[in-house]
Amino acid sequence: MKLDFPRYTERLGAVSIHAVQRIYELDSGKSKGFLSSHQTIKKFDYDEISNILHDMAIIIPVKEEKLKLLEGVLSGIPNECLVVIVSNSPRSPVDRFEMEVGTVRQLGRFMDKRLVMIHQRDPALGDILKKLGYDSILASDGKVRNGKAEGMVVGLLIARMYQKDYVGFIDSDNYVPGAVNEYVKIFAAGFGMATTPYSNVRVSWVFKPKVRNNSLQFSKWGRVSEITNKNLNALLSNITGFETEVIKTGNSGEHALSMPLAESLHYSSGYSIEPYEFVDVFEKFGGLFASQYPKMIEKGVEIFQIETRNPHFHEDKGRAHLNDMLEAALATIAGSKACPAELKESLEEQMAQLAETKSHRKTDYRKKYPIIEPINTVPGDDFAKELREKAETFSRFGGLR
């Protein structure tokens, strides 16, 4: 892969937020070195990318996805990666989860890929986490809460169990396996450019096509992304005193974290997880408040945003789904300790307008989007032992134990 170095960087305390980077070649060849005097382009040899992928887990949260879409996503993930599928699909009246397991088992015979699957609401999983004192992810029934973020955090715990250095997240509703392949290699390129062990790589889609008037329209931004990015940039601008538009990936479902950073972050429930990562990084490492992580402050945190070459074709889940995503993002920013009063008022007005389209009941967003504790509070060896012994839905393929 060949891409440019960051052309511009916003800095907040120990946090560096790099402007969107452009890819010039998806495959820049096997040859070593770079036969040019350019100092603005970074080239990754195939072996460099492959070595990083060996240390990476790709987490796929699934809920009632079309099996053909799941097959396509799995086919696009490079073989070097460990794949962790966390499903929250219904088990009755038709057992969708068993259908997913059957699909993955059959594909696994031909792919020779290392795959792990678990159901998010496995009762044993909830019991294990409760026993280990990690109850911020649990619902009142003792099982892991419903929600995308909760599934992603379960995936993080499993990736750490297999001692992976990097974790990437891919949504399961992608129609283009080649785009999935590009996302994973973008993750690897970002980690290869990082100058700190604490890094976050976020995908910026070049286009998100929509069908309008029987033809494809290649839109640059969706409504939710545009509003989320605008408000995250407003938060950053208010903190620094200088207006900026550097953040372009506030709702990026396709993103990756180095494990040392992933272990240290809090996570916000449901669809608020992606924008909350920005908020949590600002609060922990932006020099705004006292930090419990002096080593990370010393090394710094880098956020990369890398634009794809493939457009992003995904399942259209309707306006209600988009409104839920937008509400989650706005509530997350408004709830930040760093959010100034004027911006908070603006965010509350935007949420009130959304509420008019849904219901007139006042919402307690702190209860609706609870915060999940960092996974570094979970004893890794104990979690692994208990999961292998007790979780009925914990399936492994490709020689994993």
Side-chain angles (χ1 to χ4, degrees):
M1 183 173 281
K2 194 179 290 180
L3 66 165
D4 55 10
F5 281 102
R7 295 174 179 268
Y8 174 74
T9 301
E10 284 276 2
R11 293 178 173 84
L12 178 68
V15 183
S16 297
I17 309 154
H18 300 305
V20 172
Q21 295 165 247
R22 187 181 183 193
I23 293 173
Y24 292 92
E25 286 185 315
L26 290 171
D27 187 339
S28 56
K30 182 81 170 77
S31 60
K32 301 287 184 182
F34 186 26
L35 305 177
S36 171
S37 60
H38 284 297
Q39 299 298 310
T40 57
I41 304 297
K42 174 67 176 177
K43 175 182 175 181
F44 286 95
D45 181 83
Y46 174 81
D47 289 337
E48 292 177 276
I49 295 286
S50 181
N51 288 339
I52 295 172
L53 296 180
H54 273 290
D55 297 325
M56 186 183 298
I58 298 298
I59 297 165
I60 307 174
V62 178
K63 186 175 183 181
E64 295 185 82
E65 217 58 78
K66 294 174 182 175
L67 295 177
K68 290 291 184 185
L69 286 184
L70 179 59
E71 283 186 30
V73 170
L74 290 175
S75 72
I77 297 172
N79 190 266
E80 296 97 326
C81 298
L82 169 70
V83 180
V84 181
I85 302 169
V86 183
S87 174
N88 197 18
S89 296
R91 308 218 59 186
S92 65
V94 176
D95 196 334
R96 290 282 306 179
F97 175 69
E98 277 304 318
M99 293 169 66
E100 292 161 359
V101 173
T103 298
V104 171
R105 180 181 291 114
Q106 188 174 45
L107 281 173
R109 293 189 186 127
F110 300 95
M111 289 180 170
D112 192 28
K113 195 189 292 282
R114 294 168 302 145
L115 295 139
V116 175
M117 285 192 76
I118 193 167
H119 196 277
Q120 183 168 329
R121 300 277 288 166
D122 187 316
L125 175 61
D127 291 342
I128 292 163
L129 293 173
K130 184 176 182 180
K131 179 180 176 181
L132 298 176
Y134 193 67
D135 54 8
S136 61
I137 197 173
L138 301 180
S140 58
D141 62 3
K143 299 177 185 178
V144 172
R145 274 193 308 269
N146 293 308
K148 179 184 179 183
E150 286 76 1
M152 291 166 67
V153 172
V154 170
L156 279 175
L157 287 164
I158 294 173
R160 187 176 69 147
M161 165 178 158
Y162 285 100
Q163 300 180 324
K164 293 300 171 181
D165 296 328
Y166 310 103
V167 283
F169 301 98
I170 302 284
D171 287 343
S172 58
D173 62 348
N174 198 301
Y175 277 94
V176 184
V180 172
N181 187 267
E182 181 186 6
Y183 299 155
V184 179
K185 290 176 179 174
I186 282 174
F187 298 160
F191 291 129
M193 299 180 83
T195 60
T196 168
Y198 312 105
S199 51
N200 176 201
V201 184
R202 306 176 74 92
V203 166
S204 175
W205 303 301
V206 62
F207 293 113
K208 292 184 74 175
K210 300 282 191 300
V211 177
R212 296 193 182 97
N213 301 320
N214 296 319
S215 66
L216 278 176
Q217 301 292 319
F218 285 80
S219 304
K220 184 71 177 173
W221 305 108
R223 180 178 70 101
V224 174
S225 297
E226 191 170 14
I227 296 173
T228 300
N229 292 337
K230 176 185 174 183
N231 284 291
L232 280 170
N233 281 311
L235 175 64
L236 184 58
S237 300
N238 273 279
I239 294 169
T240 64
F242 292 89
E243 190 170 350
T244 183
E245 295 181 346
V246 71
I247 297 173
K248 303 291 186 184
T249 56
N251 284 111
S252 181
E254 279 69 33
H255 68 279
L257 297 158
S258 64
M259 185 58 81
L261 179 60
E263 288 179 323
S264 307
L265 294 180
H266 285 77
Y267 297 95
S268 183
S269 181
Y271 295 113
S272 62
I273 183 169
E274 287 97 2
Y276 187 76
E277 287 173 0
F278 272 111
V279 170
D280 198 46
V281 165
F282 292 168
E283 291 181 358
K284 279 189 169 81
F285 313 112
L288 307 172
F289 310 101
S291 177
Q292 298 178 343
Y293 300 95
K295 183 179 177 183
M296 295 178 69
I297 292 286
E298 180 184 344
K299 296 286 186 181
V301 175
E302 283 187 284
I303 299 174
F304 293 88
Q305 303 177 102
I306 301 176
E307 186 178 76
T308 65
R309 281 292 176 175
N310 284 281
H312 184 71
F313 289 89
H314 66 107
E315 185 85 339
D316 186 353
K317 295 181 178 176
R319 181 172 292 276
H321 172 74
L322 295 177
N323 283 346
D324 287 343
M325 287 182 63
L326 182 53
E327 179 192 83
L330 297 177
T332 291
I333 302 166
S336 170
K337 295 183 293 183
C339 185
E342 186 177 348
L343 177 57
K344 186 172 184 176
E345 185 178 339
S346 169
L347 290 162
E348 287 174 347
E349 288 175 4
Q350 294 175 65
M351 287 188 285
Q353 291 172 6
L354 276 178
E356 287 294 319
T357 67
K358 295 161 70 175
S359 74
H360 292 282
R361 289 183 299 176
K362 189 170 178 62
T363 303
D364 185 341
Y365 294 108
R366 289 174 297 180
K367 289 184 178 179
K368 187 170 183 178
Y369 305 109
I371 301 301
I372 303 169
E373 291 295 312
I375 65 169
N376 60 15
T377 60
V378 179
D381 291 342
D382 293 343
F383 174 78
K385 181 177 182 296
E386 295 269 342
L387 194 71
R388 289 189 175 105
E389 291 177 356
K390 297 178 180 177
E392 293 182 6
T393 65
F394 184 49
S395 303
R396 287 139 285 179
F397 309 94
L400 288 174
R401 60 172 293 273

